Amino acid sequence: MPDQDDPTQFSLDPVDGVIMLNPRKDDPRIERLNQMGIPLVLVGRPDPIDQAISYVDNNNTEAAFQVGEYLLKLGHRSVLFLNASADMTVAYDRKSGLAEAFRAQGLDFPEEHVIHFSRKLHSNATEYGYVSLLNTYGKMGYTAVITDTDRVAVGVLRAAKELGIDVPAHLSVIALSNDATLAQETTPKLTSVELSADRLGAEAAKLLVEKMSDPSVVRQTIIEAKLVFRESCRGR
């Protein structure tokens, strides 16, 4: 049974096992399910790290490093990062990887250039991207935007069009997820990161079935994320 995204909510329905999405730091759902003795597999890593918890995840720190390295090679020195919710472990890993790419070039990545999605402030991912660009463009001096998902990137592209910003001539945009259909339909076609969501789900389901048969099974599987080069990034 997939979980709900809100970490304060728990299903009361009887289940044989749970695949939990979007784990948070000190996520109360993990302890609750463990107390109930329900087999559990995470899609994403736990925090704190627990060798007794099974999970499937991308190499998020390394992938964000590669994205930062790519933009730096294109000549971008100031980047806005529209990150996931601050309490999500993937948000921490990606921010760390991006900052490391900049440090490797002797550059700082200022904290004020990282914005986090908030369920209280943003109605959906597209609105998050749209409002964030409208509120910051021209005030921070960035020349590229990295977005948590391609849906966030759609909001960024919409705001850029309204502001008369040419993407990628004046602003490069890259998404940390890859909806291939959506990416091909945007103008310009969206450079993104392939997370292999289908493979993540399949591996998590396979592992959960194993754990339901043998609760002692524990495994952590990493699925490599890869850059997909399209049209929305350009050198400075």
Side-chain angles (χ1 to χ4, degrees):
M1 180 195 76
D3 77 303
Q4 297 299 315
D5 187 51
D6 187 343
T8 65
Q9 299 298 314
F10 299 96
S11 172
L12 298 178
D13 297 329
V15 295
D16 297 320
V18 171
I19 295 174
M20 180 186 294
L21 310 178
N22 302 329
R24 264 73 174 181
K25 298 174 184 176
D26 299 309
D27 199 315
R29 298 172 296 178
I30 296 175
E31 182 179 358
R32 173 71 178 275
L33 291 167
N34 284 336
Q35 288 175 348
M36 297 170 67
I38 297 175
L40 170 67
V41 175
L42 307 183
V43 177
R45 71 166 181 85
D47 186 311
I49 291 291
D50 187 339
Q51 297 302 324
I53 296 177
S54 292
Y55 66 88
V56 181
D57 198 10
N58 296 114
N59 53 331
N60 289 300
T61 303
E62 181 183 347
F65 181 93
Q66 292 173 357
V67 167
E69 188 176 55
Y70 169 61
L71 290 175
L72 286 163
K73 286 180 179 178
L74 288 177
H76 297 280
R77 294 296 180 268
S78 182
V79 175
L80 179 69
F81 182 21
L82 302 184
N83 204 351
S85 299
D87 60 344
M88 289 175 59
T89 59
V90 66
Y92 175 84
D93 290 347
R94 287 172 172 173
K95 185 169 72 170
S96 297
L98 186 59
E100 181 58 34
F102 274 71
R103 280 194 297 270
Q105 298 299 318
L107 301 169
D108 290 327
F109 196 92
E111 188 65 32
E112 58 267 26
H113 279 223
V114 181
I115 299 175
H116 291 279
F117 176 79
S118 169
R119 289 180 292 274
K120 295 181 179 179
L121 298 177
H122 310 113
S123 60
N124 56 58
T126 302
E127 191 255 356
Y128 167 45
Y130 175 77
V131 170
S132 295
L133 193 79
L134 289 182
N135 289 342
T136 61
Y137 191 78
K139 300 175 183 178
M140 293 184 178
Y142 55 80
T143 58
V145 179
I146 302 169
T147 68
D148 171 45
T149 69
D150 31 32
R151 295 289 174 185
V152 180
V154 167
V156 169
L157 293 175
R158 187 176 122 212
K161 184 176 181 180
E162 288 188 10
L163 293 172
I165 303 166
D166 187 297
V167 177
H170 301 134
L171 182 71
S172 290
V173 180
I174 184 168
L176 295 176
S177 67
N178 181 42
D179 181 325
T181 301
L182 182 62
Q184 294 288 347
E185 291 178 351
T186 61
T187 303
K189 293 180 175 63
L190 188 62
T191 297
S192 57
V193 176
E194 177 56 65
L195 304 179
S196 301
D198 289 347
R199 187 177 171 196
L200 285 167
E203 290 288 337
K206 177 182 176 182
L207 180 52
L208 182 61
V209 169
E210 292 178 12
K211 286 187 68 66
M212 289 165 60
S213 298
D214 181 359
S216 68
V217 171
V218 177
R219 188 165 67 245
Q220 291 94 32
T221 301
I222 300 299
I223 306 297
E224 184 180 4
K226 298 179 180 180
L227 265 167
V228 180
F229 301 99
R230 295 192 180 95
E231 301 171 352
S232 62
C233 293
R234 184 179 295 180
R236 299 297 295 170

